[in-house]
Amino acid sequence: MHGPGFVLSVNDAKDAGTDAQGDPRTSGSDTGRVTSADLQMVVNGLWEAGAEAIAINGQRVTSLTAIRFAGEAILVNFRPLTRPYTIEAIGDPTQMQTRFAEGSAGSYLTGLRNNYGIQTSLTAQQELDLPSAVNVSTRLADVIPRGGTVPE
């Protein structure tokens, strides 16, 4: 998908560390690490702000995408990502940026930056080129009528 949007970079705090087993959430400075929950919050906020397409480190995000934590790695589409996490969102950059900043995800990201030293940067782009989604198939889908009851 091609179009204007913005690129949001999210990275661990400069002094973030890991424990002896490499677990970033049990070390003394664990709060400075970006987690899968942090990326989930940001991605959901971008959808809410009007994003038409999103990718994280080149992995296209869809309604069926899993963003999860496995050991030290954050996985998107079951592929490990490396820091910094680069989130590309296609949509009206000005409108999306305003809506994101005013929403709960923008406040959450500001809190991570101000309270825990998480590093962020945001740049508007006139043209982004996002990869296609991994091959996903839906096994079953039903149309829900206006009354809201699901057919049996």
Side-chain angles (χ1 to χ4, degrees), residues 50-74:
E52 297 171 23
I54 299 173
I56 305 174
N57 287 23
Q59 292 296 315
R60 184 72 174 268
V61 176
T62 70
S63 61
L64 299 175
T65 296
I67 301 173
R68 62 187 199 93
F69 199 60
E72 284 188 66
I74 294 177

Side-chain angles (χ1 to χ4, degrees), residues 34-49:
V34 177
T35 67
S36 59
D38 299 335
L39 291 181
Q40 290 168 358
M41 177 68 93
V42 169
V43 166
N44 286 333
L46 289 171
W47 289 128
E48 185 179 353

Side-chain angles (χ1 to χ4, degrees), residues 7-144:
V7 177
L8 173 63
S9 179
V10 182
N11 200 357
D12 294 347
K14 290 183 181 180
D15 60 353
T18 59
D19 70 1
Q21 287 82 32
D23 187 346
R25 286 297 186 190
T26 58
S27 69
S29 61
D30 65 334
T31 55
R33 300 284 301 226
V34 177
T35 67
S36 59
D38 299 335
L39 291 181
Q40 290 168 358
M41 177 68 93
V42 169
V43 166
N44 286 333
L46 289 171
W47 289 128
E48 185 179 353
E52 297 171 23
I54 299 173
I56 305 174
N57 287 23
Q59 292 296 315
R60 184 72 174 268
V61 176
T62 70
S63 61
L64 299 175
T65 296
I67 301 173
R68 62 187 199 93
F69 199 60
E72 284 188 66
I74 294 177
L75 306 178
V76 173
N77 295 325
F78 304 104
R79 297 202 172 49
L81 304 182
T82 57
R83 296 180 316 265
Y85 305 105
T86 303
I87 304 163
E88 298 172 294
I90 290 180
D92 181 324
T94 305
Q95 184 179 24
M96 235 184 349
Q97 186 173 353
T98 301
R99 286 180 175 175
F100 181 79
E102 291 173 348
S104 59
S107 297
Y108 181 83
L109 192 59
T110 299
L112 289 177
R113 186 178 58 242
N114 293 342
N115 298 321
Y116 305 111
I118 298 291
Q119 302 173 68
T120 65
S121 69
L122 181 102
T123 56
Q125 301 287 320
Q126 290 300 313
E127 187 68 28
L128 289 173
D129 185 16
L130 301 189
S132 61
V134 292
N135 195 6
V136 177
S137 63
T138 304
R139 293 189 181 138
L140 176 67
D142 288 319
V143 175
I144 299 175

